[in-house]
Amino acid sequence: MAGSANVDCSTPPQGIDAEECSQWVRKLRNQLSEPGEARAFRILVVKNDRLVRVAVIDYLLGCGFTVYAAADAAEAKGLLAADLGVHVVFTDVELPGRVNGFVLARWVRKHYPDIEVIVASGFAQMVRDVVP
């Protein structure tokens, strides 16, 4: 899935830490010298919860990025194998199946070392337990 939408990117979707998300988007946009370059920047969103996935996609599209979406790790791996030129994988920790977001992140870093990976979760304690 890729597309465009008009969304106010000053307000991140519900469930996303507003300050961190805004800082991340500002940093990405500041690295792009021309406004049109954002469209060339491709982000793969991996999230099984459809409503949150759509909210994140709409937010990123509204900020001018090209966005692809996957509901699980297997779908994400398929999109990466399609060589779409993804620059960032933005994944949730909790994914259906045997591969969670941390395992997917390790797999991406091993097989696609030039792709940045952001792992996010709405369950802060779980992340604190896993990430020092």
Side-chain angles (χ1 to χ4, degrees):
M1 170 186 175
S4 64
N6 292 321
V7 177
D8 175 12
C9 72
S10 63
T11 308
Q14 186 176 7
I16 305 295
D17 180 293
E19 184 59 29
E20 287 182 272
C21 187
S22 293
Q23 287 175 3
W24 178 71
V25 169
R26 275 194 304 276
K27 180 180 175 185
L28 287 177
R29 292 174 90 184
N30 288 339
Q31 291 175 355
L32 305 171
S33 60
E34 299 293 324
E37 286 185 333
R39 181 60 54 209
F41 199 88
R42 293 172 291 282
I43 301 171
L44 172 58
V45 174
V46 187
K47 175 68 180 149
N48 65 313
D49 183 308
R50 185 180 178 281
L51 293 176
V52 175
R53 185 173 65 243
V54 168
V56 171
I57 291 166
D58 283 347
Y59 176 76
L60 293 171
L61 289 172
C63 292
F65 300 107
T66 297
V67 182
Y68 300 97
D72 58 31
E75 190 176 353
K77 289 177 179 182
L79 287 169
L80 291 168
D83 197 24
L84 300 170
V86 171
H87 297 96
V88 174
V89 173
F90 180 85
T91 183
D92 189 15
V93 172
E94 289 293 313
L95 297 174
R98 299 176 135 184
V99 179
N100 67 28
F102 292 121
V103 174
L104 176 62
R106 283 189 216 94
W107 184 88
V108 171
R109 297 301 295 153
K110 178 179 179 182
H111 294 90
Y112 300 92
D114 293 334
I115 296 177
E116 298 295 331
V117 181
I118 298 170
V119 181
S121 176
F123 301 101
Q125 186 58 47
M126 176 184 9
V127 174
R128 280 189 214 105
D129 291 345
V130 176
V131 180

